[in-house]
């Protein structure tokens, strides 16, 4: 078990840097998720920590040892790939134990550890099978067992669930988190799925175009996005954005008027801003309630326990989520409002959040 | 119902085509066991008293026996060396120099565009100068060009089909490049490499022109077989048939052996040792 520290990591393919001077530390026992849109450099970053890609500049240490120039096998890390990457010419048992056997670990020790991980991941019945005759979920379990059996200092996962169907994805996600709670091995997990990141992470590192856009706990990322990009990327349904202006301590956007708690935002009178309203932080209100937004229902999406209501407000669509969606029908007039303290305000030019740090 | 008829029709057609393709070979094989008078009858004979005379003639004739031995030596060394040098080179090309891979492949293909005579004649001159004209070593050398390039040409795509993540997973377990190659890339690509080797083998086993021009005393089997057919009117058909069988047999044996090797390689599941 170990902490990880990356300083000034740069990676270029040719002249164009894919990662540019990235600094990151991961504490011992921490479960960190690299999140970001496809192509932002998550895999590249992970693969540099694994040793599968060379860094162009910068240092990586694991558990206090500088591993920047070490072979992947000498770093004490284990990796699980999106494509499972099982050895097709070996049985499941041989796949899992290859690394230990290669190191010359005694036979009975190998057998004991194989029994342990197989039991943990429910693979007992599959040990003599070849990978190609197994389902994706089973194959990924084997890959996880192969990573676990070596009791590495660090686990690296590169989109391990992306090839699985939704239900299995949820199940394995839970298992991975449970496994981490039991083993406490420092883990970096890469995904482009914000829900996966929110549910599994101790800390999310949200990346954009090779740089860290924001890092923090899932709650911080969700409720205090540092930029419009983060606010837009996190949360489903996605946040509503409206161009607005600050007048007399009220954020105005068309007919929308949202009073600002004093001191919460670093805004000036008359400043042109962009407002962010999270659908999940809104609800139905009486028509004369303060801060009420009035619109006309366009569409209702039933999600079971809740429904997403898409309403037309000032000629543009705005969505919110409510449990009472069954009372509404397309064409109805509707009034809804943001819960207090859940407004986001972004600078139009830089996209940075104007929320005060201590607010 | 219609699909069933169609499927059966397809089977019958296939069987018919296979029969057409195999008939000359079967007929040749039969002919190899016939006496000359059974072959040159106006009515083809299916039933006859078989004889091993033709094979005795073949294997008794020093020219043919030497031709067989020469062929086996030349082809075995050329294909063997071609595989030993070409397969690792193909792996490296596939993994580290993909952008050169296409050029290399086209170069190899372009070797095939050239009429063999165009290579043969300069080679005669060079070989005479070097003093390796009419030597097995010289033949092996010129065949190596063919075998190495063909092996590379066919093995690069075979290695490209081995998922890179598998090699990376092996590297994560501590394997260095050579170990990754031996224990993972090679066994996983083996079934495709098998085809490459068989193709290469057949290519040089059947090679006539270079063997004809670059060797005189040390003739290979195709050269000898070709010379038998130009014996004039008194064509020893039975002997020719037997020679053909002898010519075809080694590739079959070779394919069988290679197939067994690969099956055992794949089934053993890599390393068994601790
Ligand atoms: N071998 C490579 N050669 C050139 N560009 C690459 C290579 N690998 C990745 N890239 C580029 O680096 C960027 C980041 O890739 P990657 O780390 O795979 O993104 P992510 O995993 O976040 O989707 C992408 O723009 C990709 O095109
Ligand atoms: Mg990726």
């Amino acid at each position: 078990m170990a902490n990880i520290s990356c300083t000034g990591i740069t990676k270029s393919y040719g002249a164009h840097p894919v990662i540019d001077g990235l600094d990151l530390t991961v504490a011992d026992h921490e479960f960190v998720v690299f999140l970001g849109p496809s192509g932002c450099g998550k895999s590249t970053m992970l693969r540099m920590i694994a040793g599968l890609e060379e860094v162009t500049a910068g240092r990586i240490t694991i558990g206090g040892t500088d591993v920047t120039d070490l072979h992947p096998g000498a770093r004490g890390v284990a990796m699980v790939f999106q494509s499972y990457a099982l050895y097709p010419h070996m049985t499941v048992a041989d796949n899992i134990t290859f690394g230990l056997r290669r190191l010359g670990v005694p036979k009975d020790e190998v057998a004991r550890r194989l029994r342990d991980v197989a039991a943990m991941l429910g693979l007992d019945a599959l040990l003599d099978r070849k990978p190609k005759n197994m389902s994706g979920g089973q194959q990924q379990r084997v890959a996880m067992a192969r990573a676990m059996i070596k009791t590495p200092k660090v686990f690296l996962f590169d989109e391990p669930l992306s090839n699985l169907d939704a239900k299995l994805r949820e199940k394995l996600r839970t298992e991975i988190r449970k496994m981490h709670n039991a083993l406490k091995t420092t883990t970096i997990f890469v995904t482009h799925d914000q829900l996966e990141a929110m549910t599994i992470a101790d800390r999310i590192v949200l990346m954009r175009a090779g740089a860290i856009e924001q890092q923090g706990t899932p709650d911080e990322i969700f409720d205090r996005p540092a930029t419009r990009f983060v606010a837009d990327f996190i949360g489903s349904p996605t946040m509503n954005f409206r161009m607005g202006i600050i007048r007399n301590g009220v954020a105005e956007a068309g007919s929308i008027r949202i009073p600002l708690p004093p001191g919460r935002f670093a805004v000036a009178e008359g400043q042109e801003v962009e407002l962010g309203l999270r659908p999940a932080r809104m609800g139905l209100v009486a028509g004369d309630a303060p801060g009420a937004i009035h619109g006309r229902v366009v569409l209702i999406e039933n999600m079971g326990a809740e429904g997403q209501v898409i309403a037309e407000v000032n000629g543009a669509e705005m969505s919110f989520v409510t449990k009472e969606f069954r009372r509404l029908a397309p064409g109805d007039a509707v009034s809804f409002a943001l819960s207090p303290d859940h407004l986001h305000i972004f600078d139009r030019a830089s996209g940075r959040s104007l929320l005060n740090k201590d607010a | 119902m219609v699909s069933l008829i169609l499927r059966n029709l397809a089977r019958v057609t296939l069987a018919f085509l296979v029969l057409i393709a195999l008939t000359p070979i079967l007929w040749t094989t039969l002919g190899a066991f016939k006496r000359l008078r059974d072959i040159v009858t106006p009515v083809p004979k299916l039933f006859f008293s078989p004889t091993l005379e033709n094979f005795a003639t073949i294997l008794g004739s020093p020219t043919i026996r030497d031709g067989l031995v020469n062929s086996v030596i030349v082809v075995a060394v050329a294909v063997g060396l071609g595989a030993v040098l070409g397969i690792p080179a193909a792996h490296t090309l596939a993994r580290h120099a993909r952008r050169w891979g296409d050029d290399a492949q086209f170069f190899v293909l372009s070797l095939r565009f050239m009429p063999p005579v165009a290579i043969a004649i300069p080679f005669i001159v060079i070989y005479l100068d070097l003093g390796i004209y009419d030597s097995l070593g010289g033949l092996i050398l010129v065949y190596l060009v063919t075998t190495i390039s063909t092996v590379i040409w066919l093995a690069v795509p075979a290695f490209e089909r081995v998922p890179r993540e598998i090699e990376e997973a092996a590297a994560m377990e501590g394997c260095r490049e050579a170990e990754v190659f031996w224990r993972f890339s090679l066994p996983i690509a083996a079934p495709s490499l098998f085809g490459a080797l068989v193709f290469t083998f057949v290519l040089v086993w059947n090679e006539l022109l270079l063997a004809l021009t670059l060797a005189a005393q040390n003739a290979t089997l195709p050269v000898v077989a070709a010379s038998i057919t130009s014996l004039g009117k008194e064509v020893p058909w039975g002997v020719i048939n037997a020679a053909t069988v002898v010519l075809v047999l080694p590739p079959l044996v070779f394919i069988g052996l290679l197939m067994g090797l690969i099956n055992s390689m794949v089934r053993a599941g890599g390393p068994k040792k601790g």
Side-chain angles (χ1 to χ4, degrees):
Chain A
M1 314 221 175
N3 58 335
I4 304 169
S5 114
C6 305
T7 42
I9 301 300
T10 299
K11 176 73 186 180
S12 311
Y13 294 106
H16 166 73
V18 174
I19 307 271
D20 202 358
L22 189 144
D23 294 312
L24 173 77
T25 54
V26 177
D28 199 4
H29 307 315
E30 198 176 15
F31 196 117
V32 168
V33 172
F34 288 175
L35 174 65
S38 169
C40 71
K42 309 176 296 287
S43 296
T44 305
M45 197 57 212
L46 194 76
R47 292 165 54 81
M48 284 191 289
I49 295 171
L52 296 172
E53 297 284 349
E54 284 178 8
V55 300
T56 307
R59 307 305 297 175
I60 299 169
T61 66
I62 296 175
T65 316
D66 188 328
V67 299
T68 318
D69 302 316
L70 289 187
H71 186 269
R75 298 184 175 203
V77 302
M79 182 149 163
V80 175
F81 297 82
Q82 177 175 354
S83 60
Y84 322 133
L86 299 180
Y87 313 132
H89 56 311
M90 299 186 192
T91 62
V92 167
D94 284 347
N95 259 281
I96 297 173
T97 58
F98 175 84
L100 291 183
R101 284 181 294 133
R102 189 182 167 279
L103 291 175
V105 174
K107 266 205 171 70
D108 46 343
E109 164 89 4
V110 171
R112 186 182 60 72
R113 281 161 78 169
L114 175 62
R115 258 198 320 278
D116 290 351
V117 292
M120 193 156 174
L121 287 159
L123 292 171
D124 313 76
L126 301 173
L127 291 177
D128 295 325
R129 302 258 293 268
K130 283 277 179 68
K132 73 163 184 283
N133 306 322
M134 299 172 23
S135 71
Q138 290 171 330
Q139 292 195 39
Q140 199 53 297
R141 281 207 175 84
V142 175
M144 281 161 59
R146 183 174 69 183
M148 270 170 64
I149 199 167
K150 288 180 294 182
T151 53
K153 289 189 277 191
V154 174
F155 279 133
L156 304 174
F157 292 87
D158 192 356
E159 310 225 12
L161 309 179
S162 296
N163 287 1
L164 305 175
D165 62 63
K167 217 173 171 72
L168 202 56
R169 211 140 116 184
E170 251 174 60
K171 188 161 184 282
L172 261 178
R173 184 178 80 202
T174 314
E175 278 181 37
I176 290 176
R177 184 63 221 201
K178 274 192 197 153
M179 212 172 88
H180 179 263
N181 289 349
L183 301 175
K184 301 243 185 304
T185 308
T186 312
T187 301
I188 302 180
F189 184 106
V190 165
T191 180
H192 64 268
D193 178 340
Q194 53 95 17
L195 184 66
E196 202 167 284
M198 293 289 291
T199 47
I200 208 170
D202 287 332
R203 179 157 60 99
I204 293 175
V205 173
L206 206 149
M207 294 176 62
R208 175 193 191 183
I212 296 178
E213 185 84 355
Q214 184 179 4
Q215 47 180 318
T217 63
D219 281 343
E220 282 166 5
I221 296 267
F222 187 77
D223 279 328
R224 302 176 67 88
T227 64
R228 184 191 188 281
F229 176 83
V230 175
D232 193 23
F233 194 81
I234 297 281
S236 173
T238 42
M239 190 180 272
N240 302 291
F241 292 97
R242 283 298 165 95
M243 291 302 172
I245 189 162
I246 308 297
R247 279 208 193 92
N248 305 322
V250 173
E252 296 185 15
S255 68
I256 302 170
R257 300 271 181 285
I258 302 171
L260 303 181
R264 186 170 166 82
F265 294 99
V267 288
E269 177 68 18
Q271 186 174 349
E272 299 199 318
V273 294
E274 189 164 11
L275 307 181
L277 299 86
R278 231 184 240 303
R281 299 296 190 196
M282 295 197 274
L284 290 172
V285 292
D288 53 358
I293 302 167
H294 309 286
R296 194 160 292 281
V297 177
V298 176
L299 188 72
I300 300 167
E301 290 180 352
N302 187 336
M303 300 187 288
E306 296 173 323
Q308 180 186 192
V309 180
I310 299 169
E312 191 208 299
V313 180
N314 304 323
E317 288 182 350
M318 178 169 271
S319 74
F320 65 97
V321 172
T322 175
K323 288 193 170 63
E324 295 151 86
F325 67 97
R326 290 194 173 82
R327 295 204 324 238
L328 299 169
D332 288 357
V334 65
S335 297
F336 53 99
L338 196 66
S339 338
D341 291 351
H342 282 294
L343 180 66
H344 300 278
I345 302 181
F346 303 99
D347 185 274
R348 276 198 204 178
S350 70
R352 297 214 67 80
S353 171
L354 298 172
L355 190 68
N356 272 325
K357 285 267 177 305
D358 44 359
Chain B
M1 193 58 208
V2 174
S3 81
L4 195 70
I5 292 172
L6 276 181
R7 209 175 324 141
N8 281 326
L9 205 65
R11 278 206 193 120
V12 170
T13 313
L14 189 68
F16 182 66
L17 289 177
V18 167
L19 194 67
I20 289 181
L22 285 183
T23 301
I25 297 174
L26 290 175
W27 196 245
T28 305
T29 313
L30 275 184
F33 294 97
K34 286 178 180 174
R35 281 173 235 282
L36 190 58
R37 63 182 149 77
D38 288 332
I39 298 177
V40 293
T41 56
V43 183
K45 272 193 179 175
L46 260 185
F47 300 99
F48 55 91
S49 53
T51 171
L52 287 174
E53 251 172 45
N54 297 322
F55 286 98
T57 314
I58 294 268
L59 299 175
S61 140
T63 7
I64 295 179
R65 214 179 34 220
D66 290 352
L68 183 62
V69 170
N70 286 343
S71 266
V72 167
I73 293 174
V74 168
V75 173
V77 174
V79 173
L81 270 181
V84 166
L85 298 174
I87 289 177
H91 182 250
T92 308
L93 270 179
R95 280 299 174 239
H96 299 292
R98 194 58 208 95
R99 64 210 136 93
W100 298 335
D102 286 335
D103 295 345
Q105 292 208 11
F106 183 76
F107 170 71
V108 171
L109 203 60
S110 71
L111 288 180
R112 310 262 107 222
F113 297 165
M114 212 168 4
V117 199
I119 310 176
I121 291 171
F123 260 104
I124 296 180
V125 181
I126 297 170
Y127 273 28
L128 281 172
D129 272 357
L130 291 177
I132 52 173
Y133 179 78
D134 194 16
S135 70
L136 293 188
L139 264 188
I140 289 173
L141 202 62
V142 66
Y143 282 170
L144 266 179
V145 177
T146 304
T147 55
I148 293 183
S149 57
T150 311
V151 166
I152 292 182
W153 180 46
L154 293 171
V156 165
F159 283 120
E160 272 171 354
R161 276 195 296 273
V162 177
R164 189 175 279 257
E165 285 86 3
I166 289 180
E167 294 185 355
E168 288 174 345
M172 298 292 300
E173 314 241 34
C175 299
R176 302 290 159 147
E177 277 203 49
E179 203 179 348
V180 171
F181 174 75
W182 270 112
R183 296 175 116 173
F184 297 93
S185 321
L186 193 61
I188 293 169
S192 318
L193 294 178
F194 163 69
L197 287 188
V198 169
F199 182 78
T200 309
F201 176 90
V202 171
L203 216 55
V204 287
W205 181 261
N206 294 337
E207 206 286 327
L208 176 62
L209 196 89
L210 287 171
L212 198 59
T213 43
L214 294 181
Q217 301 303 310
N218 289 308
T220 55
L221 204 51
V223 177
V224 177
S227 69
I228 301 177
T229 53
S230 51
L231 284 180
K233 271 198 171 153
E234 269 300 295
V235 183
W237 286 114
V239 177
I240 292 180
N241 284 337
T244 311
V245 170
V246 169
L247 200 62
V248 168
L249 218 51
L252 290 180
V253 171
F254 176 74
I255 291 172
L257 283 180
L258 215 54
M259 201 103 110
L261 178 74
I262 282 162
N263 274 341
S264 67
M265 222 162 140
V266 170
R267 215 172 292 130
K272 274 281 167 259
K273 67 187 172 84

